[in-house]
Amino acid sequence: MTGPAGARHSLPYTANLSILFTELPLLERAQAARAAGFTAVEYWWPFDSADPRPVEVEKFVRSIEQAGVRLTGLNLFAGDMAAGERGLVSWVGREAEFAVSLTIAIGIADRLGCRSFNALYGNRLDGVAPSEQDALALEHLATAAEAAGKIGAQIVLEPLSGTPAYPLKTAADAVAVADRLGLDNVLLLADLYHLAVNGDDLDSVIAGYTPRTGHVQIADAPGRHQPGTGELDLEGHLEKLEAAGYRGHVGIEYKPEGPTLASLAWLPEERRGDK
C-alpha cells in the first residue's frame, strides 16, 4: 500500500502523552497534541495511584474531550514506574490495586471510545516462585480480557527492555502468554524500540507475529529518541507491518531529544492526524 507523498506506509499515528509534551502538565497535553495536528492520543496510567479520586478521573476525561482527540490506548496501573515497577498483572499481594485500576480504565474507555489496554506483566519478585506469579497473571489477564471484551476492547502484552526483572523481553515471550490464555482479544504490543534493544530481529517479528499484534509503538534505537536519531529503519518496518496486514495505530512513544514540537520534524503535520 502506498502512503502519503514521501511516506512508505499509510498507518495512522497516535501520540503517547505520558512521554511526549512533558513540558506541560498532563491535563494540558491533549490540547497541545491537537494543536500539533494529532487526532489520536494514548497514555500510560495517568494517575498517581491505582484508585484515583472521581474528580481526578473526570478532569482527565474532560481534558481529552475538550481537546477533540480520540483516546486509542491506556495502560493499566503499573505501580511506581519511576522506581522501576513495571505492572501488577503478576504481582502477588497487589490484587486489589489491579482490580480497581481495571474497573477505572474500563470506565474511562467506555466514555472515550478507547479499545486497547496495555497490561504490563510485572517484574519477578524476590521470595515468590515464578510459577505462582505466572498463575496469577493468567487469572488477571483472563479477568481483564473478559471486562475488555464487554466493550469490544483488547488487552495487549508488551515486552520491555531496561528492566532485568521483567520476564517478557521478546515478542515470543508475550505471544507465549497469550497462547496459554487462548483468548482472541489478548495480543502482542510490538514496541519496535524495546524489541530491537532486546535483540529481536524486527523483520522476523513482523513476518511471524503481525496477525497476533494488537498495537505497535516506535522509538529509535539506541537512545529511545525520535526517528532519525538512531539506527532503526522505522519507516521501512512500518511499511512491512502494513503489508503484512497490520491496520492499527502506531504509538509515538519516544523521549524527545529537544522540545517535543521540534522533535516531531520527522513527521509532517499532514501525517499526524487520522484521515
Side-chain angles (χ1 to χ4, degrees):
M1 184 178 295
T2 302
R8 295 164 62 182
H9 68 88
S10 299
L11 297 174
Y13 288 99
T14 183
N16 190 300
L17 299 186
S18 292
I19 198 167
L20 298 178
F21 294 101
T22 57
E23 302 91 340
L24 299 170
L26 186 134
L27 296 181
E28 296 178 19
R29 294 176 197 169
Q31 188 62 58
R34 186 68 190 92
F38 290 100
T39 55
V41 300
E42 63 181 18
Y43 293 79
W44 302 341
W45 185 249
F47 310 107
D48 292 333
S49 70
D51 190 13
R53 294 175 299 138
V55 66
E56 294 179 77
V57 175
E58 195 60 36
K59 286 179 179 178
F60 174 71
V61 169
R62 205 173 320 144
S63 75
I64 295 170
E65 290 176 334
Q66 291 177 346
V69 293
R70 176 184 168 200
L71 181 66
T72 58
L74 186 65
N75 283 23
L76 302 183
F77 180 61
D80 187 344
M81 295 277 286
E85 296 176 359
R86 292 293 184 270
L88 304 187
V89 168
S90 64
W91 195 315
V92 176
R94 299 183 73 174
E95 293 87 350
E97 290 173 276
F98 177 84
V100 72
S101 85
L102 175 62
T103 298
I104 289 169
I106 294 290
I108 291 170
D110 199 29
R111 294 176 63 182
L112 294 175
C114 176
R115 294 297 177 261
S116 188
F117 302 97
N118 183 7
L120 292 182
Y121 196 82
N123 295 335
R124 291 304 192 200
L125 302 172
D126 292 338
V128 181
S131 58
E132 183 179 355
Q133 288 194 254
D134 292 339
L136 179 63
L138 292 181
E139 291 179 21
H140 276 162
L141 290 170
T143 299
E146 180 180 9
K150 290 178 180 177
I151 63 169
Q154 65 182 7
I155 302 295
V156 290
L157 298 172
E158 182 179 17
L160 296 179
S161 63
T163 307
Y166 189 86
L168 306 187
K169 292 181 168 61
T170 66
D173 292 338
V175 170
V177 174
D179 283 344
R180 286 196 288 274
L181 281 162
L183 300 174
D184 290 342
N185 69 331
V186 179
L187 299 161
L188 167 69
L189 194 170
D191 184 310
L192 302 189
Y193 166 79
H194 287 305
L195 294 175
V197 168
N198 282 346
D200 254 348
D201 179 80
L202 296 184
D203 286 342
S204 296
V205 169
I206 292 165
Y209 295 121
T210 295
R212 308 291 301 276
T213 299
H215 187 43
V216 172
Q217 292 174 330
I218 60 167
D220 214 335
R224 203 181 182 184
H225 302 307
Q226 57 265 31
T229 58
E231 301 171 356
L232 299 182
D233 177 18
L234 292 169
E235 277 278 305
H237 292 310
L238 295 175
E239 179 184 28
K240 291 173 183 175
L241 271 160
E242 186 174 38
Y246 182 72
R247 295 293 181 268
H249 282 81
V250 175
I252 301 173
E253 196 197 39
Y254 62 73
K255 299 174 183 176
E257 192 172 64
T260 297
L261 278 176
S263 81
L264 288 164
W266 62 276
L267 185 63
E269 189 165 339
E270 62 269 19
R271 293 184 62 197
R272 298 176 190 175
D274 290 347
K275 301 299 184 287

